[in-house]
Amino acid sequence: MTPGPRAMSRAFTILAANTREAADSLRRARLRTVLGLVGIMIGISSVITMVSLGEIVKAQARKEFEALGTDILVVRKSFEVSSPEQRAAVVEREDAVALAPEVASIAEAAPRISGHGAFRHAGREVGHGAIQGVTESFVSVNRLSVRTGRFISDLDINRTWCVVGADIAAAMREAGTDQPVGTLIEAEEQLLTVVGVLEPHQESYALPVQVEANNAVFVPITTAARIVNNPEIDVIVARSRAGVHHETVAADVRAFFQARAPHLPLDVVTAKELIARMESQMRLLTLLLAAVGSIALIVGGIGIMNIMLVSVAERRREIAIRRALGARQRDIRSQFLIESVILTMTGGVLGVLLGLVATWTVCRFTQWEFLISGLSVASGLGTATAVGLFFGFQPAHQASRLDPIVGLQGE
Amino acid sequence: MVETEPPGFGSTQDRPPGATSDEGAAQMLQLTDIRRDYRIGPVTTEILRGVDLAVGAGDLMSIMGPSGSGKTTLMNIIGLLDRPTSGRYVLDGRDVSKLADDDLAMLRNAHIGFVFQSFQLLPRLTAVENVSLPLVYRGTNRAEMRRRALAALERVGMGERTGHRPDQLSGGQKQRVAIARALVGEPAVVLADEPTGALDGATAREVMALLASLNAEHKVTILIITHDPGVARQCARQVRIHEGTLVERTAGAPGASGAAAARHPASGTEETEEDPGASSAPPAIDPNPAREPTSRRDDTGEILNPAAPT
């Protein structure tokens, strides 16, 4: 009956008019509108928080492991022991040192022996921290960097030489030593000669083992074995070769120790596994938020439906007049659908803001980096629209089916 | 659209001898044997029992009847708000008796202007917005819509109060706005249902005078449904509805056909609601009194178009 462009312009005019109408009608029913909005707002803010936190944690993990490298793995004796043999078993130094040369999928391995104690220099205490016996590879495996001097070398067997972390070097400078390299420091009743100072190191909390390099004194692993109370290898931090699947690496490492120390209960944790673990924890949080969010959205949606049903009932005469003047059923339906979508979209926008505030708060506490993800905003507004359409449909349909004759009589 | 010759009707329709084909074809609406039943459970109530009616372009016609006579139902059918149970309804050359709801809505928008007893203005909208409403559903752009709505308000003498809401207007003013709304889309026919029913005497006279002048000066086809003989008498053509059937009783219409009557200055500009305007006019080619009580569907054209029998 009507040609294309004409019908388009008609649809547009009606849409514009319907939108103005709907906005106006909502403004007038303020209290009801506010009540409906609250439910939607809570629901949408849950959705936003859920999606944003997911995104943030993912970004956080990506960032952590970008610094750490996804090829990193940690090998140590498991805390879960079930027999005396297992309790007695230790990671032998020879085995630890042989790991990298003998296992093809391991590029580098850095075993560590560690103790704890106070460090003294020039007659005063310059720090309290770990005294760590390490090999030459420790610096590269843990991505440390040397500021002055050098790091421990594999040739430094049994030498009483040490490398100090940035905080300890700073304390030594405060004690009057401008250049710590070449001076003496006392640890575990042993005088050590400082051969190098490290750059400050940003600790990663993603790994189950902390290096605490800034507060540490590093000595050759052979030296540590003599001076530390418990000279066992507490951990091996290693790097796998490029392109090897993390599960393969873990299996190789297990096989290596199985052959050499059958009773040793072993923990092998790869970065990929840690990421997966982090994500599964996130999934739990997400699920919780999803549950809260969908309940709030259903409650809010039913509220919206109620508001719309009342609105339709109150405006039967208006609907009938519009029908008499030429509104088709679909014009009436779209008028009320637009009204409910405007309602839920307003709730959606408020919910997005509330959700972002909630996310920001969580980030403050967890020290994650806050970011606004486009995905979360889009999913919040998308959900709001969907809720508006879904819960608005029945009232709108009811409005469109109203018999104009009945509506015109009623008053 | 308006010029379209009604297909299938031009031939059966007898025309006044002198009329050009253009005028003769301008039968705005033609109802043939319209019946409307309401079925409640096993009981079927016949509201309309075979109504025949032809309204020509430019007619000013009244349908009078007491309440319960079926006039509201008839008006709903003519106004495309209701569909007849059976019968044929040709509006502006198109058979509309079996159309779907959406098509009826579009036709109402294009061809029918409603004036209701209780005005039926939307309380939240200003006069000009109320008048624009039919154009919204036609897809007219906003500027054009406003221009036409203002012009329509001007035509009914409401050019000064376009921004007022209904509650800021008197009854007569509200009805003028409603008439402007009925006119804005330039419909084929304005259907006025008791247009003066809610107004006091003086205001009622003003509104009737407005309708009459719109008919006389702008050739607007107007169909007034009323129970008030005073109102009915001001119309060139008058029909009565009684127990579901129509009886033509155009006592004093000066012209033969509705179109002719409308062109006649006397019929359009009557100022009183009393006799002179209607009854003192020379009797037209009168409807055959013998047939009056049984005026039914048999010879549609003849009875309903007074011009025909001559």
Side-chain angles (χ1 to χ4, degrees):
Chain A
M1 194 164 156
T2 33
R6 187 68 205 285
M8 286 277 287
S9 105
R10 176 173 190 270
F12 181 78
T13 308
I14 294 171
L15 191 74
N18 278 353
T19 308
R20 280 194 300 276
E21 278 300 312
D24 191 48
S25 131
L26 289 172
R27 254 200 311 281
R28 288 159 26 84
R30 225 168 267 148
L31 178 67
R32 247 179 14 219
T33 308
V34 167
L35 287 176
L37 285 184
V38 170
I40 297 297
M41 204 171 92
I42 292 171
I44 296 300
S45 67
S46 307
V47 170
I48 284 282
T49 311
M50 178 173 89
V51 180
S52 326
L53 279 185
E55 291 280 300
I56 284 171
V57 166
K58 227 179 272 169
Q60 194 69 26
R62 213 178 299 127
K63 216 179 76 186
E64 292 254 324
F65 285 99
E66 232 161 58
L68 214 57
T70 49
D71 55 350
I72 201 162
L73 68 152
V74 170
V75 181
R76 61 180 175 181
K77 183 181 170 184
S78 171
F79 296 116
E80 286 168 38
V81 291
S82 52
S83 67
E85 289 91 354
Q86 286 191 347
R87 201 182 312 274
V90 292
V91 177
E92 297 294 344
R93 186 144 36 97
E94 306 85 75
D95 298 346
V97 169
L99 182 64
E102 298 207 4
V103 177
S105 53
I106 296 288
E108 281 184 299
R112 181 182 81 174
I113 290 175
S114 64
H116 239 81
F119 309 121
R120 298 184 65 81
H121 170 72
R124 56 200 271 193
E125 190 171 313
V126 290
H128 189 97
I131 172 161
Q132 307 192 16
V134 297
T135 58
E136 192 175 322
S137 56
F138 194 86
V139 68
S140 56
V141 168
N142 288 292
R143 300 207 169 151
L144 305 174
S145 44
V146 176
R147 170 176 260 178
T148 51
R150 64 172 179 85
F151 196 70
I152 301 297
S153 154
D154 283 346
L155 301 172
D156 296 341
I157 299 161
N158 288 339
R159 298 288 189 156
T160 54
W161 289 339
C162 75
V163 173
V164 296
D167 288 356
I168 293 182
M172 288 170 79
R173 263 177 232 115
E174 255 173 55
T177 305
D178 287 340
Q179 182 44 268
V181 175
T183 61
L184 292 176
I185 189 168
E186 188 193 326
E188 299 273 348
E189 295 168 1
Q190 176 74 47
L191 272 179
L192 303 166
T193 306
V194 177
V195 295
V197 174
L198 294 180
E199 292 278 7
H201 176 64
Q202 178 68 46
E203 191 76 63
S204 161
Y205 294 96
L207 283 185
V209 169
Q210 263 71 59
V211 180
E212 288 165 20
N214 296 341
N215 268 315
V217 167
F218 296 94
V219 296
I221 196 165
T222 44
T223 311
R226 292 194 291 114
I227 66 176
V228 168
N229 281 340
N230 177 17
E232 274 176 33
I233 303 265
D234 72 336
V235 68
I236 306 168
V237 180
R239 298 267 169 192
S240 61
R241 281 195 198 285
V244 186
H245 193 265
H246 68 107
E247 282 171 14
T248 313
V249 179
D252 289 352
V253 170
R254 283 179 188 285
F256 171 81
F257 280 99
Q258 182 64 34
R260 294 185 165 228
H263 296 299
L264 181 70
L266 204 66
D267 259 349
V268 182
V269 181
T270 62
K272 294 249 172 70
E273 204 182 321
L274 286 174
I275 294 173
R277 234 185 259 174
M278 216 153 140
E279 277 171 358
S280 86
Q281 279 167 7
M282 218 22 245
R283 224 165 289 141
L284 198 72
L285 180 63
T286 303
L287 215 65
L288 195 77
L289 281 168
V292 171
S294 33
I295 290 169
L297 281 177
I298 289 169
V299 170
I302 290 170
I304 296 290
M305 190 156 148
N306 204 27
I307 290 171
M308 293 309 300
L309 284 172
V310 172
S311 173
V312 169
E314 278 179 356
R315 287 153 70 195
R316 290 161 63 92
R317 200 169 71 98
E318 175 191 327
I319 296 163
I321 294 171
R322 289 175 180 277
R323 293 278 284 129
L325 298 182
R328 294 166 301 177
Q329 292 195 359
R330 75 183 81 148
D331 298 327
I332 299 295
R333 194 162 53 222
S334 86
Q335 179 183 338
F336 283 91
L337 269 183
I338 288 169
E339 189 168 319
S340 78
V341 169
I342 287 179
L343 199 56
T344 54
M345 277 296 271
T346 311
V349 170
L350 293 176
V352 165
L353 295 178
L354 185 69
L356 290 179
V357 168
T359 309
W360 182 81
T361 311
V362 170
C363 286
R364 281 277 298 203
F365 280 108
T366 54
Q367 314 232 301
W368 290 338
E369 191 181 326
F370 174 68
L371 56 90
I372 294 176
S373 84
L375 177 70
S376 73
V377 174
S379 60
L381 296 181
T383 310
T385 309
V387 168
L389 288 175
F390 184 81
F391 288 97
F393 184 81
Q394 170 58 27
H397 185 67
Q398 198 172 312
S400 75
R401 297 305 295 265
L402 188 80
D403 183 348
I405 296 172
V406 176
L408 284 170
Q409 283 164 353
E411 185 59 357
Chain B
M1 246 175 163
V2 181
E3 296 78 23
T4 323
E5 186 108 7
F9 252 99
S11 51
T12 60
Q13 190 68 39
D14 296 79
R15 288 173 189 159
T20 66
S21 71
D22 184 28
E23 285 163 339
Q27 206 64 276
M28 269 305 171
L29 51 93
Q30 176 94 36
L31 276 67
T32 313
D33 194 21
I34 293 291
R35 289 164 180 277
R36 183 68 171 95
D37 306 335
Y38 285 98
R39 207 160 297 157
I40 302 161
V43 184
T44 301
T45 314
E46 286 184 293
I47 303 294
L48 297 179
R49 310 171 181 206
V51 168
D52 297 312
L53 178 69
V55 180
D59 274 4
L60 174 61
M61 184 179 198
S62 69
I63 299 177
M64 198 173 73
S67 57
S69 58
K71 65 182 195 298
T72 303
T73 304
L74 180 59
M75 147 145 174
N76 286 339
I77 287 172
I78 295 175
L80 301 171
L81 292 167
D82 195 4
R83 264 168 290 209
T85 310
S86 71
R88 188 171 149 85
Y89 175 10
V90 175
L91 172 64
D92 202 12
R94 183 169 178 191
D95 186 350
V96 296
S97 23
K98 303 246 160 13
L99 288 180
D101 199 85
D102 274 1
D103 295 329
L104 290 181
M106 307 266 270
L107 282 173
R108 278 199 297 275
N109 184 262
H111 294 286
I112 311 280
F114 286 100
V115 177
F116 300 98
Q117 176 174 8
S118 51
F119 323 126
Q120 306 284 29
L121 299 174
L122 295 192
R124 292 184 278 128
L125 304 187
T126 61
V128 67
E129 287 168 335
N130 262 296
V131 174
S132 304
L133 220 45
L135 300 181
V136 166
Y137 294 108
R138 200 176 283 191
T140 313
N141 70 54
R142 279 189 95 179
E144 170 75 0
M145 199 150 73
R146 192 173 163 78
R147 194 185 64 70
R148 288 174 65 176
L150 289 174
L153 282 166
E154 196 69 49
R155 253 165 95 183
V156 299
M158 288 293 292
E160 304 297 310
R161 308 183 77 87
T162 58
H164 289 61
R165 286 177 208 282
D167 57 8
Q168 299 166 315
L169 298 172
S170 71
Q173 289 170 333
K174 280 188 227 181
Q175 199 58 303
R176 282 169 188 272
V177 172
I179 291 168
R181 182 178 65 186
L183 293 174
V184 75
E186 282 161 14
V189 57
V190 169
L191 272 186
D193 182 16
E194 302 280 8
T196 59
L199 304 174
D200 63 67
T203 317
R205 274 192 292 278
E206 273 172 40
V207 165
M208 273 311 292
L210 171 64
L211 288 174
S213 79
L214 287 169
N215 172 256
E217 289 162 27
H218 302 280
K219 309 285 172 284
V220 178
T221 311
I222 300 176
L223 196 52
I224 298 174
I225 288 94
T226 183
H227 71 279
D228 180 353
V231 168
R233 236 174 286 137
Q234 295 176 55
C235 300
R237 284 186 66 201
Q238 299 159 31
V239 261
R240 287 184 72 90
I241 183 164
H242 184 69
E243 287 182 354
T245 56
L246 278 191
V247 183
E248 179 100 27
R249 43 153 268 180
T250 309
S257 76
R263 280 193 299 278
H264 198 286
S267 72
T269 52
E270 61 221 319
E271 266 134 24
T272 59
E273 81 284 23
E274 298 300 330
D275 322 342
S279 59
S280 70
I285 304 92
D286 52 315
N288 191 339
R291 291 200 211 174
E292 196 175 40
T294 50
S295 163
R296 294 281 296 262
R297 61 206 136 86
D298 354 5
D299 308 316
T300 317
E302 288 184 344
I303 292 164
L304 295 172
N305 189 342
T310 41

